[in-house]
Amino acid sequence: MGMGKSFLIILLVLSITSELFALSGSGTSSDPYRIESFEDFNEFCSNTAYWVGGTFTELMCNLDL
């Protein structure tokens, strides 16, 4: 397999993985990101895109940390 094909496969896997772990919502005040599980909380903590100023997040469950 050539280097170009390998790169495309890696990009495809990363895009699918990011979709699987993306929080629901769009980060606006009328549609905030929603943390509905411990996995969502980990996603929120590990992705600084959710922390950008002007975004809203709503905790939808109890978390036992």
Side-chain angles (χ1 to χ4, degrees), residues 4-62:
K5 286 184 180 180
S6 297
F7 182 73
L8 289 175
I9 290 172
I10 290 171
L11 284 178
L12 178 63
V13 168
L14 288 175
S15 67
I16 290 170
T17 303
S18 66
E19 286 297 315
L20 291 175
F21 294 107
L23 297 178
S24 58
S26 60
T28 63
S29 60
S30 61
D31 185 28
Y33 294 123
R34 289 178 287 287
I35 297 174
E36 301 176 291
S37 66
F38 188 69
E39 290 77 18
D40 288 349
F41 178 73
N42 283 334
E43 169 65 19
F44 176 78
C45 291
S46 66
N47 188 340
T48 58
Y50 295 119
W51 309 351
V52 178
T55 60
F56 293 83
T57 307
E58 185 175 9
L59 183 61
M60 306 295 293
C61 63
N62 293 325

